[in-house]
Amino acid sequence: MKSLLLLSILAALAVAALCYESHESMESYELCKRNANTFMSPQQRWRARAQERVRESTKPAYERNREACEDFGLCERYAMVYGYDAAYNRYFRQRRGEK
């Protein structure tokens, strides 16, 4: 009987701990959707876009190879076992006529 009472108290505590809803989940509703991007000035947004374009154009070759491999499912699976370098070489650097 004591173990049943102890078990039910532990279950109630577990339910209370797992079902607690914090106020953090409601933070997204605090900001009006129309005003969501007003905290950044148009100049800051333009600068952020320009920096992103520069980052994309100056990416190292291994990063571009990795992204190409991530977009192709077979290459991605092969990379999980042998690494991205080997996977990219296998799927994208094959010469015609070789297997």
Side-chain angles (χ1 to χ4, degrees), residues 81-92:
V81 177
Y82 299 104
Y84 281 100
D85 215 27
Y88 183 82
N89 289 337
R90 177 182 171 105
Y91 288 101
F92 296 105

Side-chain angles (χ1 to χ4, degrees), residues 15-35:
V15 167
L18 294 174
C19 294
Y20 172 74
E21 184 170 340
S22 67
H23 295 290
E24 293 174 359
S25 63
M26 301 300 282
E27 285 180 357
S28 61
Y29 299 111
E30 292 175 6
L31 191 58
C32 178
K33 291 179 182 178
R34 290 183 184 176
N35 298 331

Side-chain angles (χ1 to χ4, degrees), residues 17-63:
L18 294 174
C19 294
Y20 172 74
E21 184 170 340
S22 67
H23 295 290
E24 293 174 359
S25 63
M26 301 300 282
E27 285 180 357
S28 61
Y29 299 111
E30 292 175 6
L31 191 58
C32 178
K33 291 179 182 178
R34 290 183 184 176
N35 298 331
N37 288 326
T38 58
F39 63 90
M40 282 182 74
S41 70
Q43 185 179 6
Q44 287 175 322
R45 276 183 259 157
W46 179 83
R47 188 177 299 136
R49 280 190 222 118
Q51 287 174 347
E52 182 64 26
R53 281 190 216 111
V54 168
R55 270 187 244 117
E56 286 291 323
S57 67
T58 59
K59 263 187 200 173
Y62 69 87
E63 184 66 27

